[in-house]
Structure formats: structure tokens, C-alpha cells
Amino acid sequence: MNFASDNVYGVHPRILEAVVAANQPLTDVPYGHDDGAQACEAALSRVFETPVRAFLVLNGSMANSLALSAMSPPFGGIFCHEGAHIQTDECNGPELFTGGAKLLTLPGEGNRITPQAIERRLRHFVHGEHGARPSVVSITQATELGTVYTVDEISALGATARAHGMRLHMDGARFANALVSLGCTPAEMTWKAGVDALSFGGTKNGGMILEAVVFFDPALAEDFLFRRKRAGQLLSKGRYLSAQLLAYLHDGLWLDNARQANALAQALSRGLALVPGVRIAQPTQANEVFALMPVALCGVLQALGAVFHEWPVDGIDAGMTHVRFVTSWATPMADVSRLIALAQQASARGVDGDD
């Protein structure tokens, strides 16, 4: 019963088969100039219904850092939520690869920022060149608390960014999960809503090494080949990356995987909500379930083999803890059912942990 992350599960068989198939030709063009890389850009252009520039990279943190490096000058300011992955989990990578741009963090319910929060923060930028130049707004879709920005919310953020001469970046590590949750098109959730660049994630949704930086504004991609190379993200045998992305997109596999993960999260959320003493802390809108539960119940579930993380938040009552469960395309439904049953049984016994 491993709910620690969608990263803990393996590679979808169809993607693995595509990697094996890419190994069949004796030779291929190296360093991302294989035919598959061009096919990936064309495929993503079809997905987003507009010509895009797309560059495959090895992980999501670098996708974010390099995308932001193309969007912000070294003296720029990047607005993001205080709990955003670029702030809490990328070891100052955005600051390093932008050459020193400053992350300007904002509060917001459900790890979502608002135009109003940005406007309030901008009122303090009255010292001209003595402070960072507001350059980028970065949002995570789905967020680090499993919530999802609506299309209207993204559009409002895009309009705010443009009104102040800034760009809008989307960290889409769980892009597919957010997309199927909203039921909109990829275009509606990105460039039509004002997104200039997207970190398009696939590793969490069935890929092996499957991330891409997608630019809807081609001017941002002008020197990205050099940025990717300098950062050590140019894989010499790039055909194994492009093979993954093409398989991921083929016949809607990426959307099917996300629907499966989201459905499992919904089932888990509904089941846990019925356990006495447990409260779902955030709306379950993608493939993450956040819950408040007694510390004792948390310990019992972990002792019985459930793997998940306690997730720090402020304002928790004594004796309670905030936890995160993540489902994936490959999470067994039996594991979801067993976790719910164990929680119900432990609660009925007064959370004493006895079998």
C-alpha cells in the first residue's frame, strides 16, 4: 500500500515498449536531433492546437528552472505560492539557472495564488532598480495540495501578468491530472488563458524520464538549446526520450492514465471521509488526497504497511496530523480498499492498533 508519491510506481508498459523499439535501429542521430524529437514537437503542437517549441529534459525541477531562466532576467522577480515546488523542493535551482532571479512568495488558499495577492505585493515595488524587476508569475497545475486552478483563474492570472509586463509560467508536473479534472482542452488551460511557457510533466503519469519545456511564445525558445546543454540536460541518446513522449501521447494514453489516477484518488477520498476522526483537508481535484487524522490513527496505518507522508501545515489541533496520499495510474484498487478498511477498523477499535 504505497501512497507516498506517483513517482514510486514504474513505467507504463506501452512507454517501456516504445523505449525498447527505439533501441532496434543500429544507429540514430544523437543529441536531440533524431526524427523523434521533431515528431514530438509536432505532436505537442497538435495537442495544444498551436505551433509550439518543445524541448525534452530529464526531470521536472530542471524543466522549471530552465523555463524560468528563459523568462526572467537575473535581476527579475518571480511570483509564486509560498508552498510552490520551485520554492520548497528545487534546492534553489530556479535562482541558480536564472542567474539570481528572486522568488517572491505569496500566500493563498489551497496553494493557489490570486491576482489580488499579486497586486498587493506589487504595491511595494516602488524603489525602481533597487528591487527585483517583476518578470514572471509561476503557478503549479495541479498544485502541491492537489487543488486545481480553473481556466478562469488562470486567465485572470495571465491578464494580471500581462498588465504588469510579466510572463506566466505553469509547472505542469501533474498537468494531465489537472486537465482531466477540469474537462477542458490543453489549449484552454494554457496559451488561450495566457500561459507563455509550460513544464509538461509525464514522469509522474507513467513515464520513465519524461519531461518537456513547451514554449507558446517562440521568442522565449530562441537560445534554449544552449540553456539545455549548459545545464547538462541534453541527453546524447535523445531518441529514448522522444520515444517515451510519442508513446505517452499516442491514443490518449496520458489522459487515460490521469483519469485512472484521479478516479482512485476520488475513491480513497470518499472512503476516508467516512472514517470517524478523519477530515479531508482539501478538495480532491486531481490524484492527491490530503486529510487530517489523529496522530494515533496515522501511526497505526503506517505500522500496518501503509506508506504515505505527513505533510506540514500550520494550525493543526493537538493530537492531529495532516497527511498526503498520492495515487497513480498503477495503484491497485485493492490497496485503496484495504487502506480504507484498515482506517475504519482502527477507528472502530478506538485507534489502539490491535489486530
Side-chain angles (χ1 to χ4, degrees):
M1 294 182 295
N2 197 329
F3 299 94
S5 174
D6 31 17
N7 285 323
V8 304
Y9 284 90
V11 181
H12 192 281
R14 281 164 54 184
I15 294 176
L16 205 55
E17 290 165 5
V19 173
V20 173
N23 199 48
Q24 298 309 307
L26 183 61
T27 64
D28 204 338
V29 180
Y31 297 111
H33 295 290
D34 53 285
D35 290 341
Q38 298 178 42
C40 284
E41 195 165 76
L44 286 167
S45 295
R46 290 192 294 272
V47 164
F48 289 101
E49 304 175 58
T50 191
V52 302
R53 295 299 316 278
F55 303 84
L56 299 173
V57 295
L58 306 182
N59 54 66
S61 291
M62 192 56 73
N64 287 335
S65 294
L66 289 180
L68 292 170
S69 78
M71 303 175 79
S72 174
F75 47 83
I78 300 167
F79 292 87
C80 65
H81 192 275
E82 59 193 7
H85 200 273
I86 60 173
Q87 163 69 6
T88 63
D89 287 285
E90 296 184 359
C91 197
N92 296 5
E95 293 93 327
L96 174 65
F97 286 95
T98 57
K102 185 179 181 65
L103 296 183
L104 304 167
T105 61
L106 302 168
E109 185 178 352
N111 272 38
R112 289 176 295 228
I113 59 176
T114 64
Q116 293 77 19
I118 296 170
E119 295 284 1
R120 284 194 296 270
R121 188 66 180 273
L122 283 170
R123 292 183 196 133
H124 297 276
F125 284 78
V126 295
H127 300 288
E129 72 273 21
H130 296 280
R133 187 178 80 186
S135 299
V136 181
V137 174
S138 180
I139 61 174
T140 312
Q141 182 75 328
T143 74
E144 293 77 9
L145 284 181
T147 56
V148 172
Y149 287 92
T150 67
V151 170
D152 286 345
E153 288 170 338
I154 299 169
S155 296
L157 288 165
T160 299
R162 288 191 300 276
H164 294 282
M166 295 189 287
R167 302 278 195 175
L168 180 58
H169 165 255
M170 178 179 285
D171 174 356
R174 294 185 174 94
F175 181 86
N177 302 97
L179 185 70
V180 299
S181 177
L182 290 178
C184 62
T185 69
E188 289 167 341
M189 202 171 78
T190 54
W191 64 272
K192 287 185 176 182
V195 175
D196 297 292
L198 165 70
S199 300
F200 181 76
T203 305
K204 297 179 185 297
N205 194 36
M208 182 193 310
I209 305 169
L210 185 52
E211 311 291 325
V213 178
V214 179
F215 291 110
F216 302 105
D217 180 353
L220 293 171
E222 187 173 330
D223 57 3
F224 197 82
L225 289 173
F226 297 93
R227 295 180 187 276
R228 181 174 65 172
K229 173 62 178 178
R230 186 182 64 166
Q233 291 287 301
L234 179 58
L235 188 66
S236 56
K237 297 181 181 180
R239 61 188 181 274
Y240 299 108
L241 298 184
S242 54
Q244 289 181 68
L245 183 61
L246 292 172
Y248 183 63
L249 298 177
H250 184 66
D251 282 346
L253 176 63
W254 64 300
L255 301 175
D256 291 341
N257 284 358
R259 290 188 188 99
Q260 173 70 3
N262 286 12
L264 289 165
Q266 287 292 332
L268 179 57
S269 182
R270 289 192 299 269
L272 289 176
L274 297 176
V275 177
V278 175
R279 180 168 67 84
I280 302 303
Q282 298 289 339
T284 303
Q285 296 179 323
N287 66 318
E288 297 176 279
V289 179
F290 287 86
L292 291 165
M293 66 172 55
V295 171
L297 176 58
C298 175
V300 168
L301 293 177
Q302 291 173 331
L304 292 173
V307 182
F308 55 92
H309 288 301
E310 294 186 70
W311 208 258
V313 292
D314 295 328
I316 300 177
D317 294 339
M320 298 291 287
T321 186
H322 182 248
V323 297
R324 184 189 81 163
F325 302 92
V326 187
T327 56
S328 90
W329 64 275
T331 301
M333 182 61 199
D335 284 2
V336 172
S337 300
R338 177 164 168 73
L339 178 68
I340 294 168
L342 289 173
Q344 291 172 335
Q345 292 163 15
S347 180
R349 290 193 304 265
V351 203
D352 57 10
D354 295 334
D355 276 330

